[in-house]
Amino acid sequence: MTGSKSAYETDYRTVTIKTIDGSTVQGKVNISPNQRVSDLLTLQKGPFLVVVDTSYMDCRGKTLFINKAHIVWIEPED
């Protein structure tokens, strides 16, 4: 499908996530238009939050799948 526009649009927001083991992850989450970061945890089905372009320990640029039950807090960058 060359030249066609995708039906799935991406709108990434930078966030910082703290997990129950004390780890801190910075990265980007895909949010639909008119959606809040908190909606990712409450409205989306499935146990995992996909975080791309992450910065975690010595790793950079990876994609992580974080179990929502292990998130203590998530802070969006304004």
Side-chain angles (χ1 to χ4, degrees):
M1 297 181 132
T2 307
S4 66
K5 193 172 187 177
S6 172
Y8 184 74
E9 294 183 28
T10 56
D11 183 17
Y12 286 99
R13 293 274 311 266
T14 301
V15 295
T16 301
I17 299 168
K18 181 72 140 198
T19 61
I20 60 174
D21 71 353
S23 298
T24 302
V25 177
Q26 282 191 303
K28 296 177 183 176
V29 292
N30 186 22
I31 298 180
S32 299
N34 302 318
Q35 190 177 37
R36 300 172 297 177
V37 171
S38 61
D39 294 338
L40 295 173
L41 302 174
T42 58
L43 299 179
Q44 283 190 348
K45 295 180 182 180
F48 294 98
L49 179 65
V50 180
V51 187
V52 300
D53 195 22
T54 61
S55 178
Y56 170 69
M57 296 173 79
D58 291 334
C59 298
R60 302 222 185 282
K62 301 279 185 179
T63 298
L64 297 178
F65 296 81
I66 300 175
N67 189 321
K68 293 179 194 176
H70 293 234
I71 294 174
V72 175
W73 53 259
I74 182 168
E75 178 182 33
E77 186 180 284
D78 292 329

